[in-house]
Amino acid sequence: AGEVDLNFRLTAERGERYTLKISRPGADRKKADFERAIMEHLAKKELAGGQLPEEVRFRLAVPRPVGEVIQLEGSRLARLQTWVDGRPLGEVNPISSQLRFDWGEVAGMLTEALADFDHPHAPVSYKWNPSQTLEARPLARYFSPEQREIAAYFWERFERETLPALPTLPTSINFNDAHEQNLLVNEQGLFCGLIDFGDAMRTQTINELAIACAYAGMSVPDPLQAMSEVMKGFHWRRPGAAPDHLFNLITGRLLITVATAADNARKEPENPYLQVSAAPAWALLKKLRSVHPRLVTAIFRNALWSAEAEEENLAFRHWLEQASPHPVVALADRSVIALDLSVGSLDLGNHVNYEDSDRFTRRIARHLEDRGADFGVGGYGETRPVYTTDDFATEGNSGPRWRTVHLGLDVWGPVGTPIFAPFDATVHSLGIDPTQHGYGHVLILEHQEEGQTFFTLYGHLSADSLPGMRAGTPVQKGDEIARFGAPDENGGWPPHLHFQVMLDMLDYEGDFPGVAYPEEADVWLSLCPDPAPLLGRYRPGEPAAVFADYFDPPAAAKTGEELLRARQSSLGYSLSIAYRQPLHIVRGVRQFLLDTSGRRYLDTVNNVAHVGHEHPRVVEAIQRQAAVLNTNTRYLHDNLVRFAEDLTATLPPELSVVHFVNSGSEANELALRMCEAWSGTQNMLAVEVGYHGNTSRAIDVSSYKFDGKGGRGAPGRTRLLPLPDVFRGRHREAATAGKAYGAYAGRILADWAEAGEKAGGFIGESILSCGGQIVLPEGYLQEVYGHVRKAGGLCIADEVQVGVGRVGSHFWGFELQGVVPDIVTIGKPLGNGHPLGAVVCTPAVARAFANGMEYFNTFGGNPVSCAAGRAVLQVVREEGLQAHALDTGNYLKRLLRQVQAHHPIIGDVRGEGLFLGFELVHPAPAAAPNSSFLPATRQAAYLKNRMRELGFLLSTDGPDENVIKIKPPLCFHRGNADHLVEYLARVLQEDGCR
């Protein structure tokens, strides 16, 4: 489809393909000659893109004319061109940040390639030219009243600001149509072609970028961020673009789009192509109408590396360094410390310290008191966790996001501390309704000093210190203007001053943003320079100094890139790291992890944080005991005995003897030694793709390790049972699979007996994790345990990942099978992140192991670890987390099966409680032996990494790494499940999951 031409694909007898373009009646032959010339010119250029000089990421093919232009009847023209392979960018899902950067580079590449091109018949006037947007104004009669208001606003801005400047802007011949239907992408998701030169003309050069930005901003939550990414790509290829009229030219093109669509809807209602951009263009115009134009300019300047904004900021800072302001707070001769409230701050501590306002107030006061400080200062440019709750979440182009970067400076101190005007000023505005913003009572002053116009904001003030203030009230330098407010009148915050400098109020009154999204922080920090020189830890009359010079600020943390390099050079080379883009995590909060930018990730894989990341009850138990005593088990201690009693109370009575260790690996190592002590042999049965730890003996029974990369296969003393998978395994009849899979144990044990070998035992997870979240078929453990015990061996239930209430219907996973093992091994969940594990066995096994050689573990069973373990068991019981896991897990399974009904790539949804998984598969070819499905490993990897980009942490498991595992902290709730599945359904529609 096309607005100007009818387009046909022709395939010749030998397979060559061409595009045949037949114009509408009345076509201009000179314009056809111009289009031919521009294609011939570009065909001679190297249209290659890449972010490094030696790196070519993509190449663009352009159609080449074939033969001559043919005149048809009815003044139509026929033109033949070579076919260009690819699919339109508009069909790509998702359009990533990198692809938008490349989109901008394509626009810059075209500007560069056409800089030396001219043609006598190049059009200089055309309705799609953003510079001619006012010519579309009469078509506004087809708009709704709301649409007319929006259009009038932007057309008036264009007429007032940009129309007079058009003659001064550089011009060139532009492609003029770099939108998502004319740019082609290959199977690798890289730009590969460019089509349709019908809009090419001579116009302002910047329009090439304006048009790309107009279309890139459509159908995304944050259009300005999307446009910025395009601009950065353009700047990479073609530096020096002036941003000041770009906004009006972008909206100018959008107005042409919606006006032409309205006209075409009247003329050709049967042609859907002519309406393809109308709805998203209107949605974008509506969003842009709500953004202050000067903020847009600041964002564009930042994206295009324009020096103007930085120069304004530098000029102000240089002036301020030489100025002599009155100190805003009288800090001379007072004790002042730096106060770190950043995401990973140890000063701030556990999340409950900032989630509860009373506790936050006590935390700040106690921190100052403990250090003998009168005031604490900090916060400018700091990323803070206090804004990362659901109440502050918004939707960005990469999933949920939060404004976490603090734009002001805080002074924490006593209620009633006086605040002084740094310079002469006029009251700009007041915010006296603390429910309307986060500052409590606020005062904003406007300053005119030596050619500098700027504003200062004072937040969290006492109401009784503001009665004399009104907009327009003059204030003299050094006047007391307000006082620190109490928590009950400033939004619940501890007493402090939020102090902020703004170079542009952006028409705000009584309020101004105090925090910014991390991706926009550079822009907002340039509008809000560091106010430290105005605080005044110096005497009045002296030149201003940077406040941090007077105390030691927090040391700058290493960046993620620096940490990665250090890790790679100084840590073990076999360590892996999660996700293609590594995460720099600095805080855990219940079911969430936060990175250094304050980005919150829903953690659906970390079953180590069993009751929630940094659960305050567990944290407090560790802190209290660590402050008193931590020693080994050769001394009597109440924690050790009480923890053992608490733990065995959750198990069948046969399992009554506890050995405490430090990890699941240690637990399984000890359990294997117990089997040897019982039977006199190290012969063990294990399950395919099982994993039981990182010690030598644990590796020897871990098929996941010895059959994986770097492994040497099963040692002679280990025999494997086939993975009991009823979805893709050997036996798929649920009713009989348990007995069928369990029978393999009998055969192996019979072989050992025939060879005169004893059996040490069997080790197996109660639900197979690395095997792909495999729920054991009914009767499986009964069958296996029966064979093993008959052969004189012991049965070990590895509960390291599934125990402590996670499966919901039972406290322990083995209870799903109605069996009682001889030994239970426990690890990860028991300490909620603290290194803790346990082996619980029958008295008979304990007696056999106590052969005279003492088992001693220096840290196993220490008082601190026992305090952590007791707290975890108490939280599971008192917060009802076992029942919660059952309810939430069943709810999530229902949601996943609803998604499965629309996305057949999900072959199976399985699991118990909050130990779940779903397997991604493709139908197998008819010739594939013994299989209905093939693993969709590539799609699973894409899903995992894409969900990480959107703020959801998933991981893969299974022998083919095609199973998505979901085993979050048990505080994960139905709302989290809804959110997770909403994004899963979205990503499953993307190209990477096809």
Side-chain angles (χ1 to χ4, degrees), residues 687-688 721-727 729 731 737 741 768 774-777 780:
V687 182
E688 283 181 334
L721 305 180
L723 189 68
D725 179 6
V726 297
F727 176 59
H731 307 287
Y741 278 117
L768 304 178
I774 301 293
V775 177
L776 302 177
Y780 175 73

Side-chain angles (χ1 to χ4, degrees), residues 689-702:
V689 206
Y691 175 62
H692 302 286
N694 57 28
T695 66
S696 291
R697 283 201 176 184
I699 292 291
D700 283 349
V701 293
S702 297

Side-chain angles (χ1 to χ4, degrees), residues 274-307:
L274 302 182
Q275 303 299 316
V276 68
S277 297
W282 272 123
L284 176 53
L285 284 166
K286 188 173 182 179
K287 283 185 179 180
L288 296 178
R289 177 67 177 86
S290 66
V291 183
H292 198 288
R294 292 200 299 276
L295 175 60
V296 175
T297 297
I299 292 171
F300 288 1
R301 284 178 174 179
N302 180 266
L304 291 170
W305 293 83
S306 171

Side-chain angles (χ1 to χ4, degrees), residues 728-742:
R728 291 177 57 220
R730 302 182 189 181
H731 307 287
R732 302 182 188 177
E733 292 293 332
T736 58
K739 192 171 185 66
Y741 278 117

Side-chain angles (χ1 to χ4, degrees), residues 15 22 36 143 220 224 259 262 286 393 419 441 455 479 549-550 565 571 618 703 751 802 868 874 887 935:
I22 299 178
R36 179 188 184 93
F143 297 166
V220 292
L224 293 176
K286 188 173 182 179
I419 303 165
H441 299 288
F455 306 83
D479 284 353
D549 293 345
Y550 293 91
R565 287 195 297 270
L571 296 181
V618 181
S703 164
D751 290 344
V802 300
Q874 289 166 2
D887 175 75

Side-chain angles (χ1 to χ4, degrees), residues 763-786:
I763 184 169
E765 298 171 275
S766 302
I767 298 178
L768 304 178
S769 177
C770 293
Q773 314 300 95
I774 301 293
V775 177
L776 302 177
E778 185 177 355
Y780 175 73
L781 286 185
Q782 290 180 345
E783 184 78 11
V784 173
Y785 281 18

Side-chain angles (χ1 to χ4, degrees), residues 15 127 134 215 267 273 338 344 352 428 431 655 670 786 836 890 941:
K127 71 175 183 179
L134 296 176
Y215 289 94
K267 294 177 179 176
Y273 174 80
V352 296
H428 175 273
L655 296 163
L670 178 56
L836 174 61
N890 287 338

